[in-house]
Structure formats: structure tokens, C-alpha cells
Amino acid sequence: MDAVLLPKSWNVDQIIHDLDQQGFSLIDEAYPPAYMHRLVEECTSNLNKFRDAAIQNGVVSKIRSDHILWINEQLEIASQHVHQLEELAKQLNRAFYSGIRNVEAHFACYNSGEFYALHRDNPHNKNGRVFSAVYYLHEQWQSDWGGELHLQDKNDQWHILQPKPNRIALFQSDLLHEVLKAKHQRLSITAWLRSDSDII
Ligand code: OGA
Ligand code: MN
């Protein structure tokens, strides 16, 4: 793959520092507005393909009510974001020896009333997820619209993080977190930086 440069707003030293101290980091104004608009357009024009995230292999779960669409190379705009995360992963590997080899990602849409109850993305180290990276891509978000990411950091402190447009919330996949009930349509890309599967 050609060399991919990270956007200037991704301050890798700061990200590494935050992850080391707290287990999570926020990247604000992650992308130039023009790219974000193209991403919103790609997401919203595919909303008819999103599937109920609660149903996996025919089994219905009550802990989440959002809708998702897995990202592959056909979703060209979102794939660029995945490639940026692969580039970030190389730097995190250097800092933490985290052995990330692969990034998987899906779009997620929470309609009004939808939520994701308390969970860990990698409970008991049962999968290869090392870090979770959630990028918020709705065009605007108001602080009374709910949908916050409620996250317990590695020092057991709880944080309420707003799903601000153009923000990436990056956190250790073993941390406890939930998505509070949204009152407006909330769009995102959830990605996992994984130490298993294909080499990046
Ligand atoms: C998830 C998740 C958090 C968010 O998709 O596993 O916890 O803020 N998402 O969307
Ligand atoms: Mn999660």
C-alpha cells in the first residue's frame, strides 16, 4: 500500500500519552470538512442497507438497538478512514508493542430512542480487539440530544463524551462503556484495531 499520511489534527504524541495515562483519547476536527461531508453522503446514501445490529446469526440480543453496515473496499470514502486507522495502528504498535495487524469497521446508525447498553468490546480478552475507534459523522450534534458515550477509563473514572461531529473517540477495547439513548439520528463509524487476522 502507498504511504498514507495522518491528518495534521492527529497529534500522535498526545494520543499515545492519553492512551497510556487514561486508556482513551479524543481526536477533534479529525478530518477536513470536505472529506467529512463526503463520508456523511456515503453513509446516508447507504442507510437502506443497514441491518439490525442486535441480530447476529439469527440470535436477537436486547443490549443494543442500533443499525450497522460493515465497511469494505466498495465503500470507498469510508475505506480511506480505515486506511488512516491502519496508519495510526503502526504508530501505536511502535509505542505499545500492541501487535495490531488489522482494522475492521462498520457504519452505525442510532435512530431516536436507540442505545447500546454497558459492554466491553473485548471482554476477557476473548477476541483480538486492542483499541476501539469511533468516528462521529452526523453534520451536527446538540448537547441535549443524548447519545453520549459513557466510558470508564483505565483508572476507573467515568466520562461522558459527546458524539461531536468530526470527533474520534479512541479507547482500549477492554474498557466498560455504553451509548446512552439518542434523541436524534446519530451516525458513526466504529472500528477495531485488532491483533488477529490479516496483516495490514
Ligand atoms: C460499539 C460502541 C460507541 C459509540 O459500537 O461497540 O460501543 O460511541 N460504540 O458509538
Ligand atoms: Mn462498544
Side-chain angles (χ1 to χ4, degrees), residues 110 116-117 119-121 129 132 134 149 171 173 175 177-179 190 192:
Y110 292 74
Y116 196 157
H119 67 282
R120 300 175 205 270
D121 293 344
R129 292 169 173 173
S132 307
V134 188
L149 171 60
F171 53 95
S173 296
L175 295 178
H177 61 283
E178 65 185 323
V179 178
T190 302
W192 292 279

Side-chain angles (χ1 to χ4, degrees), residues 32-42 135 139:
Y35 173 75
M36 187 185 132
H37 295 314
R38 287 163 68 215
L39 206 43
V40 173
E41 160 63 21
E42 188 174 64
Y135 175 69
E139 294 276 3

Side-chain angles (χ1 to χ4, degrees), residues 93-105:
N93 281 346
R94 262 175 238 140
F96 297 114
Y97 303 101
S98 33
I100 298 158
R101 292 150 54 94
N102 180 44
V103 177
E104 63 173 355

